[in-house]
Amino acid sequence: MSFSITQRPIHSQPLLEKLKNTEAGAINVFEGWVRNNNEGKTVTSLEYQIYPALAIKEGEKIIQEVYGKYEVMGAVAIHRSGHLYLGDTAVWVATTARHRDTAFQATRYIIDEIKHRLPIWKKEYYVDYPSEWVYCSHHH
């Protein structure tokens, strides 16, 4: 499977190993972290709730689309669910290709489509405001 969801911390080394290919000239990695602010509010942590069956189906569809749109040699994406803290990796995406521009474009396509299409809801916890749920596509 090229797209997955996990409640555990994301470790990039096994994912990078999965993408190794001596024909590839480039790998592009996007790693999205939990940051300490959003829209002027101080964030202390996040919680992701995901509808797994639909998210995995749609995530796999995105990965397959990237193979049709770009000359990639490999593509992997993983998204966290559950409660995450500052600095945690929330999403990790990587593509390999013969050339760097293709890898850049393909990785950008995957993360943008994940944010736009997957049933993922994010609850932000703040210092001075009540926590609130935010559907992730609103931040696309």
Side-chain angles (χ1 to χ4, degrees):
M1 206 184 278
S2 299
F3 177 82
S4 59
I5 296 167
T6 185
Q7 290 191 336
R8 296 183 176 156
I10 296 171
H11 298 288
S12 61
Q13 198 57 43
L15 299 168
L16 292 168
E17 290 296 323
K18 183 177 180 180
L19 288 166
K20 278 198 173 180
N21 183 332
T22 58
E23 293 182 28
I27 185 168
N28 181 261
V29 176
F30 171 81
E31 189 170 323
W33 301 330
V34 177
R35 65 179 181 274
N36 69 357
N37 65 83
N38 188 35
E39 297 182 0
K41 298 175 184 174
T42 302
V43 175
T44 59
S45 63
L46 300 177
E47 182 180 341
Y48 285 102
Q49 283 194 2
I50 301 173
Y51 179 46
L54 182 56
I56 290 169
K57 182 178 178 181
E58 194 66 20
E60 281 295 326
K61 187 187 289 186
I62 292 166
I63 297 294
Q64 292 310 309
E65 287 170 8
V66 91
Y67 280 102
K69 291 179 177 286
Y70 304 96
E71 293 182 23
V72 297
M73 304 178 97
V76 173
I78 185 168
H79 203 294
R80 287 281 305 272
S81 66
H83 206 103
L84 283 71
Y85 297 93
L86 300 180
D88 285 351
T89 299
V91 61
W92 192 93
V93 178
T95 60
T96 55
R98 284 188 167 74
H99 303 285
R100 69 180 176 269
D101 192 47
T102 302
F104 283 128
Q105 290 178 32
T107 301
R108 178 69 185 251
Y109 178 84
I110 292 169
I111 188 58
D112 285 351
E113 293 301 308
I114 285 172
K115 291 291 224 176
H116 184 66
R117 293 165 46 184
L118 267 59
I120 299 174
W121 292 267
K122 176 173 65 174
K123 187 175 190 178
E124 295 182 332
Y125 292 87
Y126 309 110
V127 171
D128 296 325
Y129 298 91
S131 59
E132 66 182 0
W133 287 99
V134 180
Y135 184 60
C136 290
S137 72
H138 294 171
H139 291 280
H140 179 63

